[in-house]
Amino acid sequence: MTRPVHGGDLGDAVSRFGGNIADWLDLSTGINRVPYPVTEISTHLWRSLPTAADHTALIDAARIAYRTDWPCLPVAGAQAAIQMLPYLHNAGRIGLRGPSYNEFATVFEGAGKSLEEVSTTTDLEGFDIAILVNPNNPDGRLETPESLRKLAKVVGLLIVDESFCDTEPETSLLSTGGADNIIVLRSFGKFFGLAGLRLGFVFGADSYIARLSQLRGPWAVSGPALSVGAHALADLDWQARTRDRLRNDAERMDQMAIRAGWTAVGGSTLFRLYQTDGARAARDRLARHRVWSRIFPYSGTWLRLGLPGDDEEWQRVETAVA
Protein backbone atom coordinates (compact mmCIF):
# COMPACT_ATOMS: atom_id res chain seq x y z
CA MET A 1 0.00 0.00 0.00
CA THR A 2 1.31 3.47 -0.86
CA ARG A 3 2.05 5.54 2.21
CA PRO A 4 -0.36 8.49 2.50
CA VAL A 5 1.16 11.94 2.10
CA HIS A 6 0.71 14.26 5.08
CA GLY A 7 1.86 17.62 6.24
CA GLY A 8 4.45 17.69 8.98
CA ASP A 9 7.02 15.37 7.38
CA LEU A 10 10.07 17.59 7.82
CA GLY A 11 12.28 14.62 7.06
CA ASP A 12 11.02 14.89 3.49
CA ALA A 13 11.84 18.61 3.44
CA VAL A 14 15.38 17.98 4.67
CA SER A 15 15.99 15.18 2.18
CA ARG A 16 14.82 17.36 -0.71
CA PHE A 17 16.24 20.75 0.23
CA GLY A 18 18.89 20.19 2.90
CA GLY A 19 19.54 21.67 6.31
CA ASN A 20 18.52 20.17 9.64
CA ILE A 21 15.02 19.76 11.01
CA ALA A 22 15.71 22.52 13.53
CA ASP A 23 16.37 24.94 10.63
CA TRP A 24 12.86 24.59 9.23
CA LEU A 25 9.60 26.41 9.90
CA ASP A 26 6.88 23.82 9.38
CA LEU A 27 3.71 25.37 7.98
CA SER A 28 2.66 22.20 6.16
CA THR A 29 0.13 21.34 8.87
CA GLY A 30 -2.89 23.09 10.36
CA ILE A 31 -1.44 23.08 13.88
CA ASN A 32 -1.56 26.28 15.94
CA ARG A 33 2.03 27.48 16.36
CA VAL A 34 1.22 29.39 19.57
CA PRO A 35 0.43 26.40 21.78
CA TYR A 36 -1.43 26.30 25.02
CA PRO A 37 1.09 26.98 27.83
CA VAL A 38 1.59 23.67 29.62
CA THR A 39 2.66 23.87 33.25
CA GLU A 40 4.96 21.34 34.88
CA ILE A 41 3.47 17.84 34.84
CA SER A 42 3.42 15.99 38.16
CA THR A 43 5.78 13.04 38.48
CA HIS A 44 2.79 11.07 39.75
CA LEU A 45 1.17 11.27 36.31
CA TRP A 46 4.21 9.67 34.71
CA ARG A 47 4.49 6.89 37.27
CA SER A 48 0.85 5.86 37.67
CA LEU A 49 -1.84 4.46 35.43
CA PRO A 50 -4.67 6.91 34.63
CA THR A 51 -7.70 6.67 36.91
CA ALA A 52 -11.40 6.72 36.16
CA ALA A 53 -11.56 10.14 37.83
CA ASP A 54 -8.89 11.49 35.46
CA HIS A 55 -10.90 10.17 32.53
CA THR A 56 -14.15 11.70 33.82
CA ALA A 57 -12.50 15.08 34.46
CA LEU A 58 -11.33 15.27 30.84
CA ILE A 59 -14.76 14.33 29.48
CA ASP A 60 -16.44 16.95 31.67
CA ALA A 61 -14.03 19.64 30.45
CA ALA A 62 -14.50 18.56 26.82
CA ARG A 63 -18.28 18.77 27.08
CA ILE A 64 -18.05 22.32 28.42
CA ALA A 65 -15.53 23.45 25.80
CA TYR A 66 -17.42 21.82 22.94
CA ARG A 67 -20.83 22.92 24.29
CA THR A 68 -22.32 19.46 24.23
CA ASP A 69 -23.89 16.69 26.26
CA TRP A 70 -23.19 13.92 23.73
CA PRO A 71 -21.59 10.69 24.98
CA CYS A 72 -17.83 11.09 24.65
CA LEU A 73 -14.75 8.88 24.34
CA PRO A 74 -11.20 10.27 24.63
CA VAL A 75 -8.72 8.69 22.22
CA ALA A 76 -5.04 9.10 21.36
CA GLY A 77 -5.69 11.70 18.67
CA ALA A 78 -8.40 11.88 16.03
CA GLN A 79 -6.28 9.54 13.93
CA ALA A 80 -6.76 6.78 16.51
CA ALA A 81 -10.52 7.16 16.09
CA ILE A 82 -10.25 7.00 12.29
CA GLN A 83 -8.32 3.72 12.58
CA MET A 84 -11.28 2.14 14.41
CA LEU A 85 -14.10 3.38 12.19
CA PRO A 86 -14.09 0.50 9.65
CA TYR A 87 -14.99 -1.94 12.44
CA LEU A 88 -18.10 -0.11 13.62
CA HIS A 89 -20.54 -0.84 10.82
CA ASN A 90 -21.08 -3.66 8.33
CA ALA A 91 -21.43 -1.18 5.52
CA GLY A 92 -22.15 -1.74 1.87
CA ARG A 93 -21.43 1.61 0.21
CA ILE A 94 -19.03 4.04 1.85
CA GLY A 95 -18.75 7.59 0.56
CA LEU A 96 -16.31 10.42 1.29
CA ARG A 97 -16.81 14.00 0.17
CA GLY A 98 -13.54 14.97 -1.42
CA PRO A 99 -10.94 16.00 -2.01
CA SER A 100 -10.28 15.73 1.70
CA TYR A 101 -8.11 14.12 4.36
CA ASN A 102 -6.61 11.06 2.71
CA GLU A 103 -6.44 8.82 5.78
CA PHE A 104 -10.12 7.88 5.56
CA ALA A 105 -9.61 6.14 2.23
CA THR A 106 -6.37 4.54 3.43
CA VAL A 107 -7.91 3.14 6.60
CA PHE A 108 -11.13 1.81 5.08
CA GLU A 109 -9.37 0.29 2.09
CA GLY A 110 -6.79 -1.23 4.43
CA ALA A 111 -9.67 -2.96 6.20
CA GLY A 112 -10.83 -4.42 2.90
CA LYS A 113 -13.66 -1.94 2.35
CA SER A 114 -13.85 0.15 -0.80
CA LEU A 115 -14.55 3.86 -0.42
CA GLU A 116 -16.06 6.07 -3.11
CA GLU A 117 -15.09 9.73 -3.31
CA VAL A 118 -17.84 12.15 -4.30
CA SER A 119 -17.61 15.87 -4.97
CA THR A 120 -20.64 17.31 -3.13
CA THR A 121 -22.45 16.74 0.11
CA THR A 122 -25.65 15.91 -1.77
CA ASP A 123 -23.82 13.10 -3.54
CA LEU A 124 -23.44 11.33 -0.19
CA GLU A 125 -27.16 10.67 0.08
CA GLY A 126 -28.01 6.98 0.17
CA PHE A 127 -24.62 5.71 1.33
CA ASP A 128 -24.40 3.22 4.19
CA ILE A 129 -21.56 5.31 5.63
CA ALA A 130 -21.12 8.96 4.63
CA ILE A 131 -17.93 10.76 5.68
CA LEU A 132 -17.02 14.42 5.49
CA VAL A 133 -14.58 16.79 7.13
CA ASN A 134 -16.17 20.01 8.38
CA PRO A 135 -14.51 22.51 7.91
CA ASN A 136 -12.93 20.53 5.10
CA ASN A 137 -9.21 19.99 4.73
CA PRO A 138 -7.77 21.53 2.57
CA ASP A 139 -10.37 23.90 1.06
CA GLY A 140 -12.31 24.85 4.20
CA ARG A 141 -15.75 23.97 2.79
CA LEU A 142 -18.25 24.27 5.61
CA GLU A 143 -21.67 22.73 6.10
CA THR A 144 -24.20 24.03 8.60
CA PRO A 145 -25.43 21.76 11.41
CA GLU A 146 -28.89 21.91 9.84
CA SER A 147 -27.68 20.61 6.48
CA LEU A 148 -25.75 17.79 8.16
CA ARG A 149 -28.81 16.71 10.14
CA LYS A 150 -30.78 16.51 6.91
CA LEU A 151 -28.01 14.39 5.41
CA ALA A 152 -28.06 12.07 8.44
CA LYS A 153 -31.69 11.23 7.67
CA VAL A 154 -30.79 9.77 4.27
CA VAL A 155 -27.63 7.78 5.12
CA GLY A 156 -26.95 4.79 7.33
CA LEU A 157 -24.17 6.34 9.44
CA LEU A 158 -22.83 9.90 9.15
CA ILE A 159 -19.23 10.48 10.26
CA VAL A 160 -18.20 14.13 10.59
CA ASP A 161 -14.57 15.01 11.28
CA GLU A 162 -14.56 18.37 13.09
CA SER A 163 -10.81 18.48 13.69
CA PHE A 164 -10.65 22.14 12.57
CA CYS A 165 -13.94 23.24 14.13
CA ASP A 166 -12.54 24.80 17.32
CA THR A 167 -12.14 28.14 15.56
CA GLU A 168 -15.82 28.15 14.53
CA PRO A 169 -17.67 26.46 17.40
CA GLU A 170 -21.08 27.69 16.26
CA THR A 171 -20.82 25.40 13.22
CA SER A 172 -20.33 22.23 15.27
CA LEU A 173 -22.93 19.48 15.33
CA LEU A 174 -22.07 18.93 18.98
CA SER A 175 -23.96 22.01 20.14
CA THR A 176 -27.17 20.52 18.72
CA GLY A 177 -29.10 17.50 19.94
CA GLY A 178 -27.57 14.07 19.54
CA ALA A 179 -28.54 11.50 16.92
CA ASP A 180 -28.37 7.72 16.81
CA ASN A 181 -26.55 7.59 13.49
CA ILE A 182 -24.00 10.44 13.76
CA ILE A 183 -20.39 10.21 14.93
CA VAL A 184 -18.32 13.36 15.42
CA LEU A 185 -14.52 13.37 15.69
CA ARG A 186 -12.60 16.18 17.37
CA SER A 187 -8.87 16.84 17.48
CA PHE A 188 -7.33 18.44 20.55
CA GLY A 189 -3.79 18.95 19.26
CA LYS A 190 -4.50 21.20 16.28
CA PHE A 191 -6.24 24.16 17.93
CA PHE A 192 -4.32 23.88 21.19
CA GLY A 193 -1.02 23.49 19.32
CA LEU A 194 -0.10 20.30 21.19
CA ALA A 195 -0.17 17.67 18.46
CA GLY A 196 2.54 15.65 20.18
CA LEU A 197 0.26 15.06 23.16
CA ARG A 198 -1.88 12.75 20.97
CA LEU A 199 -5.37 13.50 22.21
CA GLY A 200 -8.75 13.58 20.52
CA PHE A 201 -12.40 12.71 21.08
CA VAL A 202 -15.24 10.73 19.56
CA PHE A 203 -18.83 11.80 20.19
CA GLY A 204 -21.87 9.73 19.29
CA ALA A 205 -24.63 7.45 20.45
CA ASP A 206 -23.97 5.22 23.47
CA SER A 207 -23.89 2.09 21.31
CA TYR A 208 -21.11 3.42 19.09
CA ILE A 209 -19.14 4.84 22.01
CA ALA A 210 -19.34 1.48 23.81
CA ARG A 211 -18.06 -0.37 20.74
CA LEU A 212 -15.25 2.11 20.19
CA SER A 213 -14.29 1.85 23.86
CA GLN A 214 -13.87 -1.90 23.40
CA LEU A 215 -11.75 -1.40 20.30
CA ARG A 216 -9.68 1.30 21.99
CA GLY A 217 -8.86 -0.79 25.05
CA PRO A 218 -7.88 0.39 28.54
CA TRP A 219 -5.46 3.25 29.25
CA ALA A 220 -5.42 4.36 25.63
CA VAL A 221 -4.90 7.99 26.68
CA SER A 222 -1.93 8.75 28.91
CA GLY A 223 -2.24 10.35 32.32
CA PRO A 224 -0.32 13.48 31.24
CA ALA A 225 -2.61 13.85 28.21
CA LEU A 226 -5.72 13.53 30.39
CA SER A 227 -4.40 16.17 32.79
CA VAL A 228 -3.15 18.67 30.21
CA GLY A 229 -6.29 18.22 28.12
CA ALA A 230 -8.65 18.82 31.03
CA HIS A 231 -6.77 21.94 32.09
CA ALA A 232 -6.61 23.43 28.59
CA LEU A 233 -10.23 22.66 27.71
CA ALA A 234 -11.36 24.37 30.90
CA ASP A 235 -9.49 27.56 29.97
CA LEU A 236 -12.25 29.22 27.95
CA ASP A 237 -10.56 32.65 28.07
CA TRP A 238 -7.45 31.32 26.33
CA GLN A 239 -9.63 29.69 23.69
CA ALA A 240 -11.51 32.94 22.99
CA ARG A 241 -8.27 34.95 22.71
CA THR A 242 -6.79 32.33 20.41
CA ARG A 243 -9.80 32.40 18.08
CA ASP A 244 -9.48 36.18 17.79
CA ARG A 245 -5.74 35.98 17.10
CA LEU A 246 -6.13 33.27 14.47
CA ARG A 247 -8.81 35.25 12.64
CA ASN A 248 -6.48 38.25 12.48
CA ASP A 249 -3.52 36.09 11.46
CA ALA A 250 -5.50 34.43 8.67
CA GLU A 251 -6.31 37.85 7.23
CA ARG A 252 -2.66 38.87 7.53
CA MET A 253 -1.56 35.74 5.66
CA ASP A 254 -4.13 36.31 2.91
CA GLN A 255 -2.91 39.86 2.36
CA MET A 256 0.67 38.62 2.13
CA ALA A 257 -0.35 35.99 -0.42
CA ILE A 258 -2.28 38.51 -2.52
CA ARG A 259 0.80 40.72 -2.71
CA ALA A 260 2.70 37.69 -4.00
CA GLY A 261 0.16 37.22 -6.79
CA TRP A 262 -1.63 34.24 -5.25
CA THR A 263 -5.39 33.93 -4.85
CA ALA A 264 -7.04 32.84 -1.61
CA VAL A 265 -9.39 29.96 -2.42
CA GLY A 266 -10.31 28.64 1.03
CA GLY A 267 -9.07 27.21 4.27
CA SER A 268 -9.83 27.83 7.92
CA THR A 269 -8.24 30.10 10.48
CA LEU A 270 -5.72 27.35 11.21
CA PHE A 271 -4.56 27.02 7.59
CA ARG A 272 -4.98 28.88 4.30
CA LEU A 273 -5.28 27.53 0.76
CA TYR A 274 -3.98 29.49 -2.22
CA GLN A 275 -4.16 29.24 -5.99
CA THR A 276 -0.70 29.74 -7.46
CA ASP A 277 0.77 29.70 -10.96
CA GLY A 278 2.43 26.42 -10.00
CA ALA A 279 2.20 24.74 -6.62
CA ARG A 280 5.49 22.85 -6.82
CA ALA A 281 7.43 25.95 -7.85
CA ALA A 282 5.81 27.97 -5.06
CA ARG A 283 6.60 25.27 -2.50
CA ASP A 284 10.21 25.10 -3.67
CA ARG A 285 10.57 28.87 -3.47
CA LEU A 286 9.44 28.81 0.15
CA ALA A 287 11.62 25.80 0.86
CA ARG A 288 14.74 27.70 -0.18
CA HIS A 289 14.00 29.86 2.88
CA ARG A 290 13.43 26.72 4.99
CA VAL A 291 9.65 27.25 5.11
CA TRP A 292 7.75 24.00 4.48
CA SER A 293 4.30 24.09 2.89
CA ARG A 294 1.83 21.53 1.56
CA ILE A 295 0.92 20.69 -2.03
CA PHE A 296 -1.52 18.07 -3.32
CA PRO A 297 -1.26 15.34 -5.94
CA TYR A 298 -4.70 16.19 -7.35
CA SER A 299 -3.94 19.88 -7.98
CA GLY A 300 -1.03 21.48 -9.79
CA THR A 301 -1.83 24.93 -8.40
CA TRP A 302 -3.03 24.57 -4.80
CA LEU A 303 -0.65 25.42 -1.96
CA ARG A 304 -1.66 25.21 1.71
CA LEU A 305 0.06 27.12 4.51
CA GLY A 306 -0.42 27.04 8.25
CA LEU A 307 -0.07 30.30 10.15
CA PRO A 308 3.23 31.49 11.67
CA GLY A 309 3.49 32.03 15.41
CA ASP A 310 5.87 34.69 16.70
CA ASP A 311 7.28 37.78 14.96
CA GLU A 312 10.42 35.97 13.78
CA GLU A 313 8.32 33.32 12.06
CA TRP A 314 6.17 35.93 10.35
CA GLN A 315 9.27 37.72 9.09
CA ARG A 316 10.65 34.49 7.66
CA VAL A 317 7.43 33.82 5.79
CA GLU A 318 7.14 37.39 4.49
CA THR A 319 10.69 37.18 3.15
CA ALA A 320 10.07 33.77 1.57
CA VAL A 321 6.74 34.70 -0.03
CA ALA A 322 8.06 38.02 -1.35
Side-chain angles (χ1 to χ4, degrees), residues 95-97 118 120-134 143-161 173 179 181-183:
L96 168 70
R97 189 192 65 181
V118 301
T120 71
T121 303
T122 303
D123 292 335
L124 290 171
E125 294 179 4
F127 278 88
D128 295 291
I129 296 180
I131 305 169
L132 56 79
V133 180
N134 198 52
E143 296 290 336
T144 66
E146 293 75 20
S147 67
L148 292 176
R149 290 204 164 273
K150 290 180 181 178
L151 177 61
K153 294 178 180 178
V154 291
V155 301
L157 172 63
L158 176 62
I159 298 172
V160 182
D161 185 339
L173 268 173
N181 70 326
I182 299 177
I183 290 175

Side-chain angles (χ1 to χ4, degrees), residues 130-275:
I131 305 169
L132 56 79
V133 180
N134 198 52
N136 190 46
N137 173 13
D139 59 17
R141 279 184 292 172
L142 190 63
E143 296 290 336
T144 66
E146 293 75 20
S147 67
L148 292 176
R149 290 204 164 273
K150 290 180 181 178
L151 177 61
K153 294 178 180 178
V154 291
V155 301
L157 172 63
L158 176 62
I159 298 172
V160 182
D161 185 339
E162 292 188 349
S163 288
F164 294 102
C165 205
D166 294 72
T167 58
E168 301 175 82
E170 67 281 357
T171 66
S172 173
L173 268 173
L174 296 177
S175 59
T176 66
D180 291 340
N181 70 326
I182 299 177
I183 290 175
V184 174
L185 312 182
R186 293 297 288 253
S187 167
F188 173 85
K190 292 180 175 63
F191 176 72
F192 288 92
L194 298 171
L197 196 68
R198 306 313 305 141
L199 180 62
F201 301 91
V202 187
F203 294 86
D206 284 323
S207 59
Y208 285 123
I209 294 301
R211 175 59 178 149
L212 287 167
S213 182
Q214 291 177 332
L215 292 168
R216 182 199 66 167
W219 307 303
V221 179
S222 72
L226 292 172
S227 176
V228 171
H231 187 74
L233 287 162
D235 193 340
L236 301 182
D237 289 339
W238 182 91
Q239 293 166 47
R241 293 194 305 272
T242 297
R243 290 187 188 102
D244 288 341
R245 177 184 59 79
L246 289 171
R247 280 192 288 269
N248 292 333
D249 286 353
E251 175 63 25
R252 179 179 179 181
M253 180 68 85
D254 285 352
Q255 292 303 314
M256 188 189 310
I258 290 170
R259 290 193 296 271
W262 299 345
T263 302
V265 294
S268 74
T269 54
L270 281 168
F271 60 86
R272 310 303 296 157
L273 183 67
Y274 300 111
Q275 185 91 21

Side-chain angles (χ1 to χ4, degrees), residues 4-63:
V5 178
H6 298 289
D9 189 355
L10 282 180
D12 185 32
V14 170
S15 68
R16 290 170 183 256
F17 300 98
N20 300 307
I21 285 180
D23 300 330
W24 284 82
L25 171 58
D26 186 8
L27 300 184
S28 67
T29 73
I31 297 168
N32 177 10
R33 290 194 60 82
V34 184
Y36 186 80
V38 178
T39 58
E40 184 176 352
I41 296 175
S42 167
T43 302
H44 168 76
L45 294 176
W46 296 111
R47 297 178 62 183
S48 305
L49 288 170
T51 67
D54 298 331
H55 197 263
T56 299
L58 176 64
I59 290 175
D60 289 344
R63 283 178 170 156

Side-chain angles (χ1 to χ4, degrees), residues 54-114:
D54 298 331
H55 197 263
T56 299
L58 176 64
I59 290 175
D60 289 344
R63 283 178 170 156
I64 292 172
Y66 298 145
R67 310 174 187 182
T68 191
D69 59 359
W70 287 33
C72 171
L73 180 71
V75 291
Q79 181 64 42
I82 293 172
Q83 295 292 140
M84 295 185 285
L85 292 177
Y87 309 101
L88 271 183
H89 192 290
N90 293 321
R93 298 180 65 216
I94 305 168
L96 168 70
R97 189 192 65 181
S100 194
Y101 186 50
N102 58 27
E103 274 293 346
F104 285 103
T106 300
V107 167
F108 275 89
E109 290 168 3
K113 301 182 179 183
S114 62

